[in-house]
Amino acid sequence: MKAMILAAGRGERMRPLTDHLPKPLLEVGGKPLIVWHIERLVAAGVTDLVINHAHLGDRLVEALGDGATFGAAIRWSAEPPGALETAGGIAHARPLLGVKPFIVINGDIWCDVDVVALQRAAGTLQADGTLAHLLLVPNPAHHPDGDFTLVDGHVGETGGPKLTFSGVAAYHPSLFGALDPNAPAKLAPLLRAAMRGRQVTGALHTGHWFDVGTPQRLADVDALARSVSAR
């Protein structure tokens, strides 16, 4: 199974740290955020990786190369200045991702998701018409209203309390089939359309998960990651 790590964002809220370094290369626990993802994926047997980039993308390519250092094979999906948003970036990378379901992880989060369980969920996509499987998390303080509901294994917008989308998911490539691969496109409208057809499943992740969106959160996660690594 292939996985895509989203790394094309500008990281405006992290400036000035991201003026000279792409956000996924910011370090927590002694190594870049994106390296935590690569190592977790490889440990679960997911070694065929696609990473998109735009802002300071050359720094990412220089730091990670072809992935051999990590036991992975990385292919790069370059985007134009300003990037293509989440869905647009995935659509742009579809030739590298193939025709089977794949995993996607936001490059600017820190988490301990169960990649093996996510692979199992990905393997069932489209068997019953399902196009996406999302991992949701309890709402953090900076996002108290959440995004979607999780009811009987299906993700939607009604029927229960809202949880926060973690930025970790599995998708069937057909979800992005109608998109222009060279035009920006947001993910939420695609997901909401699929939810209306009960084509989105999900699970609750209760372990570590942090959206590393500000310098203070970066410092907090750095301290936690160091404590976890020390165990």
Side-chain angles (χ1 to χ4, degrees):
M1 184 169 293
K2 297 181 180 181
M4 181 173 184
I5 303 176
L6 302 175
R10 175 65 179 80
E12 289 288 348
R13 292 175 299 166
M14 294 294 282
R15 297 184 68 184
L17 297 177
T18 51
D19 285 344
H20 306 288
L21 194 70
K23 190 176 177 182
L25 286 183
L26 295 176
E27 290 195 0
V28 298
K31 56 189 170 187
L33 284 166
I34 197 167
V35 170
W36 288 90
H37 294 317
I38 293 170
E39 291 178 348
R40 182 167 293 276
L41 288 164
V42 169
V46 181
T47 59
D48 196 347
L49 310 181
V50 175
I51 303 175
N52 66 341
H53 65 82
H55 173 63
L56 300 175
D58 57 323
R59 296 290 301 274
L60 277 164
V61 176
E62 180 183 358
L64 305 176
D66 63 3
T69 300
F70 309 99
I74 296 175
R75 287 184 287 178
W76 295 94
S77 179
E79 297 181 15
L84 296 172
E85 302 277 3
T86 300
I90 296 171
H92 189 70
R94 275 191 66 195
L96 302 176
L97 291 166
V99 299
K100 296 180 179 180
F102 51 85
I103 292 168
V104 174
I105 301 178
N106 284 359
D108 59 356
I109 61 172
W110 188 79
C111 60
D112 61 354
V113 298
D114 185 342
V115 176
V116 173
L118 190 58
Q119 286 184 85
R120 287 197 297 267
T124 68
L125 292 181
Q126 215 184 36
D128 56 359
T130 304
L131 297 177
H133 181 84
L134 312 184
L135 292 189
L136 305 179
V137 296
N139 299 330
H142 64 270
H143 191 60
D145 296 330
D147 299 305
F148 306 120
T149 60
L150 180 62
V151 181
D152 297 330
H154 281 83
V155 179
E157 296 191 276
T158 60
K162 287 192 173 180
L163 299 163
T164 292
F165 175 39
S166 68
V168 181
Y171 300 111
H172 193 278
S174 61
L175 178 66
F176 308 93
L179 296 181
D180 180 343
N182 296 305
K186 294 183 180 297
L187 179 61
L190 289 183
L191 290 178
R192 290 190 173 103
M195 287 173 194
R196 289 193 287 272
R198 288 182 62 79
Q199 293 176 294
V200 181
T201 59
L204 178 64
H205 173 67
T206 57
H208 292 310
W209 178 88
F210 295 90
D211 172 8
V212 188
T214 65
Q216 181 58 57
R217 275 185 254 156
L218 180 69
D220 292 343
V221 174
D222 178 55
L224 177 61
R226 288 181 184 281
S227 70
V228 169
S229 298
R231 292 173 188 169

